[in-house]
Amino acid sequence: MDFAILHLFVLVLSVLCLMICALEFDPVDNYLINCGSFENITVGDRVFLADNLNSTQRVFVNTSLESIPSSYSSNLYQTARILDEVSKFKFSIKKQGRHWIRLYFYPFSYGNFNLSTAKFSVSVQNFTLIKSFQSLSGPLVKEYTLNITSTSLVLTFTPFSNSFAFVNALEIISLPDELIPVGIGTDSLRELALETVVRVNMGNVAVLPRNDTSWRSWESDERYLTSRNLFQFVSRIQAVNYTRGGPSRNIAPPSVYGTATRLQVDDPGVSVNITWLFDVDPGFDYFIRFHFCDIVTGHNDPNKVGGDHELLFNVYINSQLASRDLDLKKKTSNVLGSPYYMDVVTRLKNIHSIGISIGPAGVDNAYPDGLLNGLEIMKISNVKGSLDASDAEIQSSVPTSKKTTTWLMIGSTIGGSIICIVLVVVSILFCRSRIRTAADDSTEENHTAVGAKEASIVSKSNMGYLFPLVAVQEATDHFSESMIIGFGGFGKVYKGILKDNTKVAVKRGFHQSQQGLAEFMTEVEMLSQFRHRHLVSLIGYCNEKNEMIIIYEYMENGTLKDHLYGSDLPNLNWTQRLEICIGSAKGLHYLHTGSHKAIIHRDVKSSNILLDENLRAKVSDFGLSKIGPEIDQTHVSTAVKGSFGYLDPEYLTRQQLTDKSDVYSFGVVMFEVLCGRPVIDPSLPRESVNLVEYVMKCLRTGESEAIVDPRIAHDITPESQMKFVETAEKCLAEYGADRPTMGEVLWNLEYALKLQKTTQENEISDNQLDNSVLSTEYSMGSMADLAGVSMSKVFCQMVKSENKDSCDIC
Ligand SMILES: *[C@@H]1O[C@H](CO)[C@@H](O)[C@H](O)[C@H]1NC(C)=O
Ligand SMILES: *[C@@H]1O[C@H](CO)[C@@H](O)[C@H](O)[C@H]1NC(C)=O
Ligand SMILES: *[C@@H]1O[C@H](CO)[C@@H](O)[C@H](O)[C@H]1NC(C)=O
Ligand SMILES: *[C@@H]1O[C@H](CO)[C@@H](O)[C@H](O)[C@H]1NC(C)=O
Ligand SMILES: *[C@@H]1O[C@H](CO)[C@@H](O)[C@H](O)[C@H]1NC(C)=O
Ligand SMILES: *[C@@H]1O[C@H](CO)[C@@H](O)[C@H](O)[C@H]1NC(C)=O
Ligand SMILES: *[C@@H]1O[C@H](CO)[C@@H](O)[C@H](O)[C@H]1NC(C)=O
Ligand SMILES: *[C@@H]1O[C@H](CO)[C@@H](O)[C@H](O)[C@H]1NC(C)=O
Ligand SMILES: *[C@@H]1O[C@H](CO)[C@@H](O)[C@H](O)[C@H]1NC(C)=O
């Protein structure tokens, strides 16, 4: 193309851009309805019209303004429309494209109607927005965006039988085209619905709808910050300079770009992250938009050590790098104060919170600094066309969380005075990056290196474990489908029968990834080093022809989980359940203390506790296990792995792994055992979905009887239950330091068993119990549990010192 023509083209485009940017947004479709009211009402700079929705039903209810918590839109909550049959509202749409749908709910009581008891679902076109409305006590605005491609929009309220629906106000407005991208990377958002989870303005200031061109509400970020003193709030609204080609006011207003939360570091040698934590529903993808604007450089800050320096930082999502060495100056072609935003789509299926962190760049000499101006998180509708938490695609039964590779799709728009063509080109060239942080990779490498070293020590005795592939094929009838006894993220588990008629379980990994291989090796190493009555024994392994096969002892009775719920296996009584807990606690206690360095299991859950023909518990699945910290360190830093619902919150937020993370997970298992229900049960009402939250709530309100599995309620004694609950609760302490050790848990469980067995007969004093449980049974027990064949020397020493006795197995 001729250069002059290109130049002209650029000029025309720039002018166009400028015109578009300068225009205040004026929605073509704009329905604002004050439901249940005969009057128009003004909220901010807009008028919500009296309710003239076409419906055969016209039940209007109202409440006094004083009863409503005062807020920007309190006026809207004063009235509501009641719908006691399926009601469809049709709005004609003039402009195809994305629209906001905002629904206002505030449950009050009026005559016979108690809106708190309403139960209903809401859908738009073919998307489920709400499947079963649960009234919260306070006012609530739900915000959605849909791409409307027809000439009408149909909003449907469906009350449950014997119930009714209500709505206090609604908005349907077209939104600026530029606001939501049609796709990110190769992912199209065109046909998907989004729900706003959270929209925050950093810098500890809320922004009201009237200050946003499409009337979005921005919360203050303060309540989401996880640390208290590593940041400072900055406000410099005049510093924002919207430039041609950059994001416009429609993307975010000056009051968002002009305030920020910034890293506050007084000592350049100290390195910290700022982290915000947001609750999300597991089982969905999320659209995350970061808003940045350098409002700090060039404004010498008296409070900021280090004067003016390069603003360079990393951005993380749940510890995964979303942007490395982000340099706003580069992104905005050196225009200070020019806004910049970055879009990311997460594929983090099994998380229940999103942690956003800003941290110093890895570049040498970079002064630790960084900031964030605004953040939006939107839930993306799933394949069922639903946004409701109960329609989540949770994979909790399959331990895929550790195998699923996490993908973040990243797109971004540049600001600055770059010509529009560049903008167009760049917005097409989204970079797509697979997220595995450098830190993660290196810990993984270290880990394998450690493993390899230890493997060389045990490799001689390992030789006996190596099985030829033909023997495995023979045992499993050539991996016959009829021999399959389980599935997992790693592959299939087969039942096998060896030549000598021994039954075995054969775990066959998908032949593939490095990660899979690392986990396979870890498991073989762990298992060949450790033998314990309460750890599943290794019989052999096979790595011929790229196969990754591990052969274990066969556990006749399957997983603990299957005995607790979701199957028709006979009920376990309380004593059996306690004994299973004790067995698994012994296994874990041994892992934690059985060698010079603790082994952290990392994936303790009821489906990893197996039961043999006598219902004796054995801990299995060591694919994620890690060697614990050196004596002089308190934790191992590592990427978060494990199973959703069982993850230690401290580990989740700080990535610091200790043996107390296993204790937390074990506490969750204990409640699973007591309550006989899954850790996450999306079919339950929202407040009961998460077992831990539900149990904690019941314990706080003193309803501890309510949580007990009805099938054991008759045989559990109150004393035993109390001891058990008290112990499990301690395991779930927020901080690892406050949790008991596995040894203490074990002691308490044995105590609970004693209480169960002896309560009916006679009372025994605590002292008697102390002695009988601890010094005799427990230490004898641990000695007897050692089915030691190839114990390491170190371990023998441990046993010797513990028993002050000779260890003749060595
Ligand atoms: C509400 O406002 C609309 C449009 O401005 C007007 O036509 C209507 O008469 C008003 N209704 C009431 C009850 O004031
Ligand atoms: C209003 O609703 C009635 C019954 O639901 C329907 O017959 C009528 O066509 C609707 N009118 C408009 C304008 O939608
Ligand atoms: C509800 O509306 C009726 C009729 O408009 C009015 O008389 C009454 O005072 C209102 N009640 C409250 C609590 O505002
Ligand atoms: C309305 O129902 C809720 C939940 O069922 C209850 O807590 C509340 O007391 C009820 N309010 C009135 C005024 O009856
Ligand atoms: C809306 O959907 C239509 C048809 O699929 C598509 O052409 C258009 O780009 C979409 N718009 C947005 C903003 O996603
Ligand atoms: C918000 O809007 C109001 C009026 O529309 C204006 O007075 C105020 O200064 C704005 N606030 C900010 C932070 O922009
Ligand atoms: C905004 O940036 C442009 C450079 O693109 C500069 O010419 C202009 O003076 C700046 N405006 C303000 C108010 O700083
Ligand atoms: C910030 O968080 C990331 C991800 O968790 C981590 O890799 C990094 O080391 C942290 N930086 C600091 C200084 O703590
Ligand atoms: C909803 O309908 C549109 C057009 O009729 C279709 O493209 C889209 O796939 C449907 N979505 C779902 C979740 O069924």
Side-chain angles (χ1 to χ4, degrees):
M1 203 192 290
D2 188 284
F3 193 73
I5 296 180
L6 179 72
H7 218 84
L8 186 68
F9 187 48
V10 166
L11 197 72
V12 170
L13 270 176
S14 314
V15 171
L16 271 174
C17 275
L18 199 63
M19 280 170 61
I20 293 166
C21 299
L23 285 176
E24 183 77 349
F25 173 67
D26 183 20
V28 178
D29 297 311
N30 193 359
Y31 295 96
L32 307 173
I33 296 165
N34 181 19
C35 300
S37 173
F38 297 104
E39 281 163 23
N40 293 347
I41 200 163
T42 305
V43 176
D45 55 350
R46 296 187 295 171
V47 176
F48 281 69
L49 298 184
D51 186 346
N52 60 352
L53 293 173
N54 182 25
S55 160
T56 46
Q57 298 166 288
R58 269 184 100 83
V59 183
F60 288 3
V61 294
N62 62 359
T63 186
S64 65
L65 192 55
E66 296 80 59
S67 70
I68 307 165
S70 106
S71 70
Y72 178 76
S73 30
S74 9
N75 283 340
L76 290 176
Y77 296 116
Q78 228 186 318
T79 57
R81 177 191 268 263
I82 304 268
L83 307 157
D84 54 19
E85 59 186 44
V86 179
S87 311
K88 286 183 189 293
F89 300 119
K90 194 167 168 182
F91 299 89
S92 76
I93 297 295
K94 293 197 205 74
K95 180 175 177 280
Q96 265 86 64
R98 286 216 170 258
H99 286 68
W100 287 127
I101 296 171
R102 299 197 180 104
L103 304 173
Y104 293 74
F105 299 105
Y106 175 65
F108 55 78
S109 277
Y110 177 89
N112 291 334
F113 294 104
N114 180 351
L115 303 192
S116 302
T117 62
K119 262 195 125 116
F120 57 96
S121 61
V122 182
S123 62
V124 171
Q125 317 294 67
N126 50 3
F127 288 99
T128 307
L129 305 186
I130 301 171
K131 199 158 185 186
S132 163
F133 184 83
Q134 299 281 320
S135 261
L136 299 162
S137 48
L140 175 71
V141 186
K142 302 275 263 176
E143 181 184 86
Y144 305 89
T145 159
L146 257 79
N147 181 3
I148 310 295
T149 50
S150 54
T151 53
S152 65
L153 178 154
V154 180
L155 180 64
T156 310
F157 288 83
T158 312
F160 283 32
S161 57
N162 299 324
S163 191
F164 58 92
F166 76 97
V167 59
N168 299 72
L170 60 89
E171 285 181 44
I172 292 172
I173 56 180
S174 26
L175 54 79
D177 289 326
E178 63 197 301
L179 203 51
I180 310 282
V182 293
I184 297 194
T186 54
D187 281 21
S188 170
L189 292 176
R190 278 191 184 90
E191 257 113 57
L192 301 176
L194 305 177
E195 175 182 355
T196 307
V197 175
V198 75
R199 179 176 293 120
V200 282
N201 178 31
M202 308 304 165
N204 194 21
V205 207
V207 175
L208 295 175
R210 68 159 172 261
N211 292 86
D212 183 287
T213 58
S214 57
W215 297 279
R216 293 170 298 176
S217 174
W218 301 72
E219 277 181 78
S220 150
D221 66 323
E222 208 257 347
R223 57 183 281 230
Y224 298 106
L225 280 159
T226 56
S227 50
R228 289 284 124 210
N229 44 19
L230 308 169
F231 52 81
Q232 86 189 118
F233 298 125
V234 195
S235 173
R236 207 169 276 125
I237 295 177
Q238 330 73 275
V240 182
N241 186 354
Y242 288 95
T243 45
R244 291 181 269 158
S248 72
R249 271 163 223 264
N250 287 339
I251 297 294
S255 35
V256 170
Y257 282 121
T259 60
T261 299
R262 182 188 192 184
L263 262 178
Q264 168 75 61
V265 181
D266 296 332
D267 172 358
V270 176
S271 222
V272 289
N273 288 339
I274 318 178
T275 302
W276 296 262
L277 201 61
F278 304 93
D279 287 344
V280 296
D281 294 323
F284 287 89
D285 295 336
Y286 289 89
F287 171 81
I288 304 178
R289 174 168 290 174
F290 295 87
H291 296 275
F292 298 103
C293 184
D294 182 355
I295 52 169
V296 298
T297 308
H299 300 270
N300 259 324
D301 212 318
N303 298 324
K304 188 78 189 172
V305 186
D308 248 357
H309 49 263
E310 215 67 26
L311 181 64
L312 205 61
F313 53 94
N314 288 345
V315 182
Y316 306 89
I317 299 177
N318 281 9
S319 298
Q320 315 227 7
L321 209 48
S323 179
R324 185 198 299 277
D325 301 343
L326 182 63
D327 184 352
L328 293 178
K329 224 156 70 206
K330 244 186 227 156
K331 302 284 185 190
T332 59
S333 21
N334 289 319
V335 181
L336 285 178
S338 177
Y340 168 77
Y341 70 89
M342 178 170 91
D343 291 341
V344 177
V345 168
T346 62
R347 297 255 175 287
L348 305 158
K349 283 281 187 253
N350 282 348
I351 48 163
H352 64 313
S353 61
I354 291 183
I356 301 291
S357 308
I358 299 291
V363 178
D364 288 343
N365 300 329
Y367 195 93
D369 201 350
L371 54 67
L372 183 60
N373 303 61
L375 183 83
E376 295 172 84
I377 300 182
M378 302 185 95
K379 190 199 271 183
I380 303 175
S381 62
N382 62 14
V383 288
K384 295 178 197 159
S386 178
L387 283 161
D388 194 276
S390 64
D391 280 328
E393 300 147 50
I394 295 181
Q395 308 151 331
S396 59
S397 57
V398 186
T400 42
S401 56
K402 58 185 180 186
K403 255 75 173 192
T404 340
T405 44
T406 333
W407 292 78
L408 301 182
M409 309 292 293
I410 302 186
S412 52
T413 307
I414 51 158
S417 58
I418 303 185
I419 49 181
C420 290
I421 287 204
V422 179
L423 171 73
V424 172
V425 171
V426 170
S427 55
I428 294 166
L429 289 177
F430 292 112
C431 57
R432 179 183 163 161
S433 80
R434 181 178 167 198
I435 301 290
R436 269 197 83 202
T437 64
D440 183 15
D441 281 332
S442 66
T443 42
E444 224 50 57
E445 269 156 33
N446 289 344
H447 174 212
T448 347
V450 171
K453 212 162 60 203
E454 310 230 329
S456 67
I457 303 168
V458 290
S459 60
K460 280 187 207 84
S461 55
N462 256 358
M463 292 308 279
Y465 293 121
L466 196 55
F467 268 59
L469 184 57
V470 282
V472 185
Q473 284 169 332
E474 199 178 306
T476 57
D477 195 9
H478 291 86
F479 300 109
S480 152
E481 295 287 314
S482 62
M483 301 293 262
I484 293 179
I485 51 174
F487 293 93
F490 51 82
K492 293 171 182 166
V493 184
Y494 300 84
K495 181 176 175 175
I497 298 166
L498 298 181
K499 274 223 173 77
D500 60 359
N501 275 334
T502 323
K503 281 193 223 159
V504 291
V506 176
K507 181 161 119 179
R508 186 190 195 197
F510 299 122
H511 6 166
Q512 17 69 12
S513 65
Q514 277 307 106
Q515 197 193 353
L517 190 64
E519 285 177 10
F520 171 77
M521 289 314 294
T522 310
E523 179 140 30
V524 171
E525 281 149 20
M526 295 283 174
L527 283 170
S528 57
Q529 284 176 81
F530 297 106
R531 306 236 117 202
H532 189 270
R533 183 192 292 220
H534 294 287
L535 299 181
V536 166
S537 308
L538 176 73
I539 296 200
Y541 70 99
C542 168
N543 55 3
E544 254 178 81
K545 297 214 181 105
N546 280 336
E547 290 278 0
M548 297 190 299
I549 295 170
I550 307 186
I551 303 152
Y552 307 87
E553 62 177 317
Y554 185 72
M555 297 293 282
E556 200 74 56
N557 272 310
T559 69
L560 167 61
K561 184 180 173 185
D562 286 344
H563 286 263
L564 293 176
Y565 49 78
S567 75
D568 41 29
L569 291 170
N571 177 37
L572 296 171
N573 67 31
W574 181 238
T575 308
Q576 285 170 321
R577 291 186 193 202
L578 265 178
E579 274 164 352
I580 288 166
C581 286
I582 290 171
S584 19
K586 282 181 182 170
L588 288 173
H589 176 60
Y590 171 81
L591 273 184
H592 289 175
T593 57
S595 86
H596 59 305
K597 273 194 218 151
I599 306 291
I600 303 166
H601 184 283
R602 284 224 283 177
D603 203 9
V604 175
K605 54 180 176 181
S606 56
S607 55
N608 280 341
I609 294 171
L610 304 181
L611 304 175
D612 70 9
E613 69 277 15
N614 301 319
L615 292 177
R616 182 161 61 186
K618 300 195 185 201
V619 179
S620 78
D621 204 339
F622 302 89
L624 290 183
S625 305
K626 269 211 183 280
I627 311 275
E630 299 286 347
I631 313 288
D632 55 346
Q633 289 175 342
T634 56
H635 65 268
V636 182
S637 287
T638 162
V640 174
K641 292 191 180 149
S643 298
F644 175 65
Y646 293 91
L647 278 179
D648 174 5
E650 200 182 30
Y651 172 37
L652 206 59
T653 51
R654 298 173 56 202
Q655 287 81 50
Q656 296 184 345
L657 185 66
T658 69
D659 49 3
K660 296 298 181 66
S661 307
D662 282 353
V663 173
Y664 181 91
S665 309
F666 191 76
V668 179
V669 172
M670 285 173 72
F671 276 124
E672 237 182 321
V673 165
L674 181 71
C675 308
R677 55 152 280 187
V679 172
I680 301 291
D681 188 346
S683 67
L684 293 174
R686 195 182 170 88
E687 73 274 12
S688 320
V689 167
N690 184 317
L691 171 66
V692 172
E693 278 170 27
Y694 167 68
V695 163
M696 287 309 176
K697 196 200 89 206
C698 291
L699 293 180
R700 264 197 310 276
T701 56
E703 302 167 73
S704 59
E705 298 306 318
I707 61 173
V708 177
D709 185 346
R711 293 171 300 173
I712 51 165
H714 62 279
D715 82 60
I716 185 166
T717 68
E719 293 83 348
S720 177
Q721 181 185 336
M722 212 165 91
K723 188 82 208 158
F724 188 89
V725 168
E726 184 190 278
T727 311
E729 206 178 355
K730 279 190 194 139
C731 293
L732 298 184
E734 191 179 356
Y735 299 104
D738 301 332
R739 295 175 205 146
T741 62
M742 246 6 262
E744 287 162 337
V745 174
L746 176 53
W747 189 92
N748 280 295
L749 284 169
E750 301 206 311
Y751 195 162
L753 181 63
K754 272 266 138 85
L755 285 170
Q756 175 72 16
K757 286 184 170 162
T758 55
T759 308
Q760 299 96 326
E761 298 155 23
N762 51 31
E763 311 292 318
I764 40 169
S765 79
D766 286 8
N767 282 343
Q768 274 172 304
L769 269 173
D770 277 336
N771 296 335
S772 64
V773 176
L774 256 190
S775 50
T776 59
E777 284 182 29
Y778 162 42
S779 50
M780 285 303 288
S782 71
M783 200 47 220
D785 286 336
L786 299 168
V789 184
S790 64
M791 285 193 303
S792 71
K793 286 232 159 58
V794 187
F795 180 59
C796 276
Q797 273 157 15
M798 198 242 9
V799 176
K800 270 182 199 156
S801 62
E802 193 178 277
N803 286 277
K804 311 259 182 321
D805 225 330
S806 68
C807 170
D808 41 22
I809 323 169
C810 306

